[in-house]
Amino acid sequence: MESLNAGGLTLGNLMISGFPQTLYGRPGRDEEIEKVQHSIREAGRAGLAVIEYKSYADRLVEGYYAQTGRGGGGLTAFDYGRVKDLPPLANEGAHTLDEMWNNITYFLKPVVPGAEEAAVRLALHPNDPPPLLSRGSGQIMSTLAGWKRLIDIVKSPSNGITFDCGVTRELGEDPVEVCRYFGERDCINHVHYRNVKVRKPYEKYTEVFLDEGDNNMFLVMKELVRQKYPRLIYPEHPRALDYDRERPNFRSWYPGGGGYAAYAFNVGYTRAMLQAALSSS
């Protein structure tokens, strides 16, 4: 934080992980929770406003594959049919939806009050991809009802979500309405700003360039402005471009994903949407 501040930059969010026993409700979770609480206190002392985390029972990344979009750009597609019959992994096991809700509740009850005291907001990332069942396990953040249930476990600004308008559309939901619901409750602690084309909610979709998907990205931004959302907007999941592909040591996190040049497109588009939304508010 000090190094970035000295360079005129502000770090607004970091992802925390490394508590599998807590996630799966196993012995040793109390020690993990203590470490998370310690990390949150240190984040608060350093001035870090948001800590993001995930609660996937399993993430079905095997269902991703590359598609080719406009101008030969790379797109990331998902098909649940490719992965719906995958067995549980030995280090994860299979867990019912009730088990996963019990585990996240056990985590949040002691963690959220400490986060509130430290002036740190927690942002739980939704399940992405969002099938209801992954390798035999239920997924708590794979439905809008699950997102709403999460923020009611401990009612606090420190118990919030990452509002991902791409995942929202993957669920078949309207991202403007969803943004309004959580924004009015002050539970949007981080934003992922991206677009998709959905063929079948939950099961078949393609992540596309920001300006060509099912989401009206300007309306999403206008709603964030209307809510006076004050934290970070991350235009994630860049598309694969030739310039990035030609760079030495280029590596994409997803099939059809891009790098720095694609991020430049995403950031420029997002800043333009923000400026337009602010000027029309």
Side-chain angles (χ1 to χ4, degrees):
M1 295 287 288
E2 292 172 356
S3 176
L4 288 170
N5 291 341
L9 299 173
T10 301
L11 180 64
N13 176 29
L14 275 177
M15 179 76 72
I16 194 170
S17 60
F19 37 96
Q21 311 314 327
T22 304
L23 179 64
Y24 300 121
R26 296 170 178 163
R29 62 180 176 175
D30 291 334
E31 292 79 5
E32 288 182 345
I33 289 173
E34 288 178 6
K35 291 178 180 178
V36 171
Q37 290 173 307
H38 178 68
S39 295
I40 291 171
R41 289 193 296 270
E42 292 304 315
R45 291 190 184 101
L48 182 66
V50 177
I51 291 178
E52 191 175 14
Y53 67 110
K54 297 176 182 177
S55 187
Y56 300 137
D58 175 83
R59 189 176 185 191
L60 286 174
V61 294
E62 299 92 343
Y64 287 128
Y65 62 99
Q67 288 184 338
T68 301
R70 68 189 190 208
L75 308 178
T76 303
F78 177 79
D79 184 352
Y80 185 53
R82 293 177 170 225
V83 291
K84 63 183 180 66
D85 296 323
L86 290 178
L89 296 174
N91 64 323
E92 294 175 351
H95 305 270
T96 67
L97 193 61
D98 285 343
E99 284 181 70
M100 296 303 294
W101 277 116
N102 288 338
N103 295 343
I104 195 68
T105 299
Y106 189 91
F107 173 80
L108 290 174
K109 291 284 188 180
V111 167
V112 171
E116 189 169 342
E117 184 177 341
V120 172
R121 288 179 176 242
L122 302 178
L124 181 55
H125 192 291
N127 282 105
D128 184 34
L132 304 178
L133 198 66
S134 177
R135 288 187 179 270
S137 289
Q139 304 280 48
I140 63 172
M141 291 291 282
S142 62
T143 66
L144 178 57
W147 300 7
K148 293 177 178 180
R149 178 175 175 177
L150 177 93
I151 65 171
D152 286 337
I153 292 174
V154 182
K155 290 183 179 294
S156 166
S158 290
N159 180 32
I161 67 166
T162 294
F163 167 62
D164 187 319
C165 59
V167 177
T168 304
R169 183 63 67 183
E170 292 165 15
L171 305 180
E173 304 287 350
D174 182 344
V176 175
E177 293 181 4
V178 172
C179 179
R180 183 174 301 129
Y181 180 90
F182 288 97
E184 288 176 348
R185 289 158 178 78
D186 193 21
C187 289
I188 298 178
N189 292 343
H190 188 48
V191 171
H192 284 182
Y193 193 71
R194 62 183 181 86
N195 216 338
V196 296
K197 289 183 178 179
V198 178
R199 297 182 295 283
K200 184 177 181 181
Y202 293 95
E203 296 189 12
K204 292 183 179 182
Y205 59 86
T206 302
E207 300 179 17
V208 296
F209 286 94
L210 281 167
D211 60 349
E212 64 175 354
D214 296 337
N215 287 341
N216 185 322
M217 302 302 285
F218 182 53
L219 292 184
V220 173
M221 187 65 78
K222 284 184 69 174
E223 185 60 30
L224 287 168
V225 168
R226 194 181 76 83
Q227 295 292 337
K228 295 182 170 59
Y229 170 73
R231 285 168 287 279
L232 293 183
I233 298 173
Y234 177 25
E236 59 160 6
H237 292 201
R239 303 292 94 232
L241 303 176
D242 288 344
Y243 180 88
D244 287 325
R245 290 167 172 152
E246 293 163 1
R247 297 307 96 191
N249 302 317
F250 168 71
R251 177 183 174 225
S252 171
W253 290 107
Y254 301 98
Y260 292 122
Y263 266 125
F265 173 84
N266 282 10
V267 170
Y269 181 93
T270 303
R271 287 182 64 84
M273 290 292 100
L274 177 59
Q275 290 175 345
L278 287 170
S279 67
S280 64
S281 63

